[in-house]
Amino acid sequence: MNPCRQTLAALLLLLTLALPGFAQMGNGQPVNSPRPASPTKPTPPVRTTAALPTFLRADARASRWADSIMARMPLDEQIAQLIMVAGYSNRTTGYEDSLTTLVRTYKLGGVVFFQGGPVRQAKLTNRLQSASAVPLLVAMDAEWGIAMRLDSTVRFPYQMTLGGMPQASEKLIYDMGADVARQFRRLGMHVNFAPDADVNNNANNPVINFRSFGEDKYAVARKALAYMRGMQDNRLLTSLKHFPGHGDTGTDSHFDLPLINKSRAQLDSLELYPFRELIKAGAAGVMIAHLNIPALDTTRNRPSTLSPNIVTGLLKNELGFGGLVFSDAMNMKGLTKYFPSGLADRRGLEAGMDVLEFTENIPRAVAEICKAADERTLSTQEIKDRCRKMLLAKYWVGLNNYKPVVLDNLVANLNRPESEVINRRLTEASLTVLTNANNRLPLQRLDTLRIASVSVEATAPTLFQNRLADYTSVKSFLLSSKSSDAEIKAVLDSLGQFNTVLVGVHLNNIRPAKYGVQTRTAELVQKLVGTGKAVITVFGNPYVLDKLPDLEGATALVMPYQLTNFTEDLSAQLIFGAIGASGRLPVTVNQRFRVGDGMTIQPIGRLKYTIPEEVGISSAYLAQQVDSVVNLGLNAKAYPGCVVQLAKDGKVIFRKAYGKHTYDTSLGGKAEPTQLDDLYDFASVTKISTSTPALMRLVDAGKFNIDGTMGEYLPGYKKSNKDTIRWRDVLTHQAKLKAWIPFWQATKNPDGTFKKKTFVAERSNRYPIEVTDSLFLFKKYPKTIFELIKDSPLNAKKEYVYSDLSFYLYPQIVQRLTGRDFEGYLKDSLYAPIGATTLTYNPRRFYPLSRIVPTEYDSLFRKTLIWGRVHDEGAAMLGGLSGHAGLFGTANDLMKLTQLYLQHGTYGDRQLIKPETITEFTRYQFPELGNRRGLGFEKAAYKYNGNAPRLASPSSYGHSGYTGTFTWIDPAVGLNYVFLCNRVYPTRNNNKVSELGIRTGVADAFYKAIRRGI
């Protein structure tokens, strides 16, 4: 008996006894088809010059290892090395037992994993490897990363999405390939059945479609090559697919045998081009598709997988491919419809394939292949050569020194932040703007826009909408194909209030036919386009553009190619100009939207939201450092909660809310968890958020001279002791002004009651100034405050003394010089243009108390919890509005203002303050006197004293606030930092935030993270 058959008989008997029914694993079809005549192999034409795959290049050690394995391996085991069984890590223990027995018994060459999870797969891999005498080659079909098959892993963009990237960005695809290789190897895998090199020139292709880089054969070749090199350069075997080209089919080979009725010349000019180029570049593997191509093989119903003309004649001989030839899955109906399992495997090896992937019935396949060897339709030398090639591949991926997959930290290792950076960059580079009437994008002049967002086919507020709201005030709506006529009408009627409508079409189905678009979906989008003010972003397959009528009527059209967190996030950032767009359509959709279409959009300098690794910082290290400092304060009860926001180089990389609004509810507040969009009382940060920028704008307009005197701008001061004091001295706190005046104490009688014409318990025309719900100030009393400031004595010596007093006066100066009230001037000329819409005085007018963080319980003056009203008593007596205190807002909106400073007065492509003015106000004014102040701004002390971060540069500046707020800007490192807390809750007699150095400590953690890098 033939040795192959003798061993096989024993194995079949063993399996029959140990695992009844196992021989029918798969479709269970009997091998009853007559054997076709032995194929006649074509005469090989002149070979194309092709680079030998790296794993086959001369290496004496590899050869010795492969030869030593071969020396003790009988023919049936050599055959088994050419078979890769399917593996699943989401099935039962019984299934895993059977799979392990199959691997051990047949000594198979590899396993191809499909659905499951990373830890489960790693455990199963280790088990299968321990059962295998020769380490298994482990593969996966993971075109967009292992998340194509496994949960809890990184999902990179589809190849069609990457097809939208401009040529200049293709290095990113290499980076993706390198990262995919890293993840594969961490999970104990060695082969990725990717990239897809098909040219998708059939819009109705049911199986390739979004898996292709597009219809331009040159772009497909370039991008597939970048992906292939990224993987192969990092020791991952690849397999180009689906040779000789699956892009122009209308049939899914999973369910039937597709017919490609093209001439050889057509195939040569299009389908074969990417394969030819990648083979020349040293492709490690090629996967053969199940296709019927009469121009290449006239045998009726013969799949290309089983065609000697295609596998050996075209691929190996003509194109010169010498690497591993993999079959597509051997269980697909495009193959088994005419060639049952076992027979198909035999015919595949006879045709010239090296590795059979997803062989359905292992015993039958081995039996048939042994039969082919016995009948000499497949020579033993061919089997040996292919087995040796398989072993050389195993050596190249390190299986000569096999080690089990380490389970510790596996999921974390597979989900590194660096992968997210690649994902973000790939997505950003692919974003494609197809129409942009009147340069609508990026949105500019936010002060003129009333914006609504509508998410179509979303059941809850979307990430797209949430990110849009980070840039300015946006009213959000939801609609779907299930919305009633009344609901749709109500939304459309509401949109009449807005002049800009940002529509996100959220399509979960990316596959051909409807692409997730219902008839009613298309009608909804059409109605929204019909408003004449819609910017449409279609989160779906680009071919869906043909299913949505009248899109050319949109004021702008954005195509992100698929629906992911990254496409939603970055599309919103594109719309507001934080990032640009350079993508181009990779396929022709119709006459309106053709391959290559797309417009270049430049960013305009608004904050970008990303992760620390994008600016070279370790997110884990930064989070650990910041958390440790903030939690020190929380544990010491330095504050009940806080919000920290950090940006570098215009990129927001850290945003986190800690703790709660209050410790408990005993004083009337609510111990709600702190949120990122909570409003805080800025306290003295108001100085650099209101008075200082207002003065800078007045300097720019030539209306204010910082070297002018108080008497020049305040006529009432002409004959006062402050007449000739220069504003430069005032703004640097060396004008001899008193530090502060407790104005509220002057309203009290010795017995604690209020004096006449000060406070009463109910509002009236004479007492209109609301200080609390039950405390109203006499309408003329603010004049008393200003008189007290004017008449206040000066300090004896001209030296640095921090003073609030001048900041009470700037609202009057602004109104006198502009004719505008202070708050209106700030909102219209500064806050609205940058989208900082939460920056406001008296926030109770606009926001629910649930969004406003309480400050102090005032037991001396107001006798109540201060919540949504200014903490500072003097500002409270001015109706909550002053130049030194009273501004509220979110950390994000405050950061927009500080980013304006960092960007030399420009934000959103608008120059709101001149660069030279920013420079003048933020420099040391009197270093020769030891005065560390800028104009209005705090700067780092010449000798560290805790007022600023220890690592701050001399060019840095910022300010702190009495309630615990802090912001710091450092041009030297591109730092922008905001810290908001309510340290005065429940009492101001708690200065732990300063004693512990929390605010500056967080900034120093940021500096350290910058220095440390990734």
Side-chain angles (χ1 to χ4, degrees), residues 808-847:
Y808 280 83
L809 308 175
Y810 298 126
Q812 295 181 349
I813 293 173
V814 169
Q815 184 161 8
R816 182 169 174 269
L817 296 179
T818 67
R820 297 289 312 280
D821 69 278
F822 189 55
E823 183 175 23
Y825 174 77
L826 289 167
K827 287 184 174 180
D828 292 345
S829 67
L830 198 60
Y831 303 158
I834 65 174
T837 56
T838 65
L839 300 188
T840 186
Y841 290 97
N842 296 311
R844 281 173 171 243
R845 296 174 294 168
F846 311 110
Y847 299 98

Side-chain angles (χ1 to χ4, degrees), residues 218-531:
Y218 301 108
V220 170
R222 288 195 314 270
K223 290 173 180 177
L225 179 60
Y227 191 12
M228 181 189 85
R229 281 180 169 159
M231 291 186 281
Q232 291 187 179
D233 286 355
N234 290 276
R235 290 275 170 170
L236 181 66
L237 294 165
T238 65
S239 178
L240 315 181
K241 61 187 185 186
H242 304 80
F243 186 84
H246 209 320
D248 194 7
T249 64
T251 302
D252 186 343
S253 53
H254 290 86
F255 306 110
D256 205 344
L257 179 62
L259 172 67
I260 296 184
N261 203 9
K262 285 189 167 186
S263 70
R264 173 61 195 264
Q266 288 174 312
L267 294 169
D268 273 337
S269 67
L270 186 66
E271 276 83 359
L272 288 173
Y273 177 81
F275 292 100
R276 185 180 292 113
E277 294 303 304
L278 271 67
I279 288 169
K280 288 179 184 177
V286 172
M287 177 183 284
I288 309 297
H290 305 311
L291 304 169
N292 183 237
I293 312 173
L296 299 178
D297 190 327
T298 58
T299 307
R300 181 178 175 82
N301 296 328
R302 177 183 278 173
S304 47
T305 336
L306 312 186
S307 169
N309 286 4
I310 294 173
V311 180
T312 299
L314 175 59
L315 177 60
K316 290 186 172 182
N317 294 340
E318 187 174 337
L319 299 186
F321 179 65
L324 287 169
V325 182
F326 295 93
S327 73
D328 204 344
M330 297 297 287
N331 69 329
M332 292 166 62
K333 298 302 179 185
L335 180 70
T336 61
K337 180 177 182 179
Y338 299 103
F339 294 86
S341 181
L343 180 62
D345 299 279
R346 170 181 175 167
R347 294 286 180 258
L349 289 187
E350 288 174 336
M353 283 193 300
D354 297 320
V355 184
L356 303 170
E357 179 233 334
F358 206 148
T359 291
E360 249 190 335
N361 191 312
I362 304 295
R364 188 177 298 161
V366 173
E368 282 291 334
I369 296 166
C370 276
K371 186 177 179 183
D374 186 46
E375 296 176 356
R376 301 185 187 280
T377 58
L378 180 66
S379 73
T380 56
Q381 188 58 49
E382 287 176 305
I383 293 171
K384 290 179 183 296
D385 289 345
R386 294 173 197 177
C387 178
R388 190 172 190 277
K389 190 191 298 186
M390 182 71 153
L391 292 171
L392 289 173
K394 289 186 176 185
Y395 183 94
W396 187 76
V397 297
L399 285 173
N400 60 305
N401 187 28
Y402 163 74
K403 294 179 181 178
V405 181
V406 176
L407 300 181
D408 292 347
N409 300 313
L410 177 60
V411 174
N413 293 160
L414 293 174
N415 290 273
R416 297 191 313 172
E418 291 82 357
S419 301
E420 181 176 334
V421 172
I422 295 170
N423 233 327
R424 286 180 169 276
R425 288 175 174 162
L426 291 167
T427 302
E428 183 176 336
S430 67
L431 294 177
T432 303
V433 176
L434 291 170
T435 64
N436 193 25
N438 300 315
N439 295 315
R440 187 64 170 141
L441 297 182
L443 296 180
Q444 301 187 49
R445 292 303 306 267
L446 298 185
D447 49 331
T448 68
L449 302 182
R450 300 182 305 282
I451 303 175
S453 72
V454 182
S455 282
V456 177
E457 299 301 355
T459 57
T462 61
L463 190 156
F464 177 63
Q465 290 178 309
N466 293 339
R467 181 62 79 210
L468 292 171
D470 279 330
Y471 287 98
T472 191
S473 178
V474 178
K475 176 68 174 176
S476 296
F477 300 91
L478 298 175
L479 286 175
S480 77
S481 52
K482 296 180 181 180
S483 298
S484 67
D485 290 343
E487 290 170 330
I488 294 171
K489 183 179 184 303
V491 171
L492 291 173
D493 288 347
S494 297
L495 296 181
Q497 309 169 46
F498 304 92
N499 59 16
T500 302
V501 181
L502 307 177
V503 179
V505 185
H506 300 259
L507 303 175
N508 278 306
N509 190 344
I510 200 167
R511 298 188 178 277
K514 291 186 175 181
Y515 296 104
V517 176
Q518 306 299 321
T519 301
R520 198 169 176 83
T521 311
E523 292 172 352
L524 273 175
V525 175
Q526 190 174 28
K527 288 177 180 178
L528 292 166
V529 171
T531 64

Side-chain angles (χ1 to χ4, degrees), residues 641-644 678 680 682 889-891 894 964-966 978-982:
C642 67
V643 174
V644 176
D678 286 338
Y680 279 83
F682 289 172
T890 64
L894 177 57
T965 56
F966 188 73
V978 172
F979 181 97
L980 301 181
C981 81
N982 54 337

Side-chain angles (χ1 to χ4, degrees), residues 3 86 139 148 158 192-193 284 338 438 443 472 508 525 649 700 720 917:
M148 183 171 170
Y158 297 136
N192 188 6
F193 294 133
Y338 299 103
N438 300 315
L443 296 180
T472 191
N508 278 306
V525 175
D649 303 331
D700 285 350
S720 73
T917 305

Side-chain angles (χ1 to χ4, degrees), residues 54-109:
T54 306
F55 79 90
L56 290 176
R57 295 176 189 172
D59 186 319
R61 291 171 299 178
S63 295
R64 285 196 298 271
W65 183 80
D67 291 342
S68 68
I69 300 294
M70 292 280 291
R72 60 177 185 268
M73 188 180 283
L75 188 62
D76 61 297
E77 291 183 18
Q78 294 176 25
I79 291 171
Q81 281 296 302
L82 308 182
I83 296 175
M84 301 185 81
V85 68
Y88 298 82
S89 58
N90 61 349
R91 296 192 178 178
T92 64
T93 301
Y95 162 81
E96 293 185 2
D97 292 342
S98 297
L99 182 62
T100 304
T101 299
L102 186 66
V103 167
R104 179 186 298 113
T105 302
Y106 276 89
K107 299 179 172 56
L108 299 177

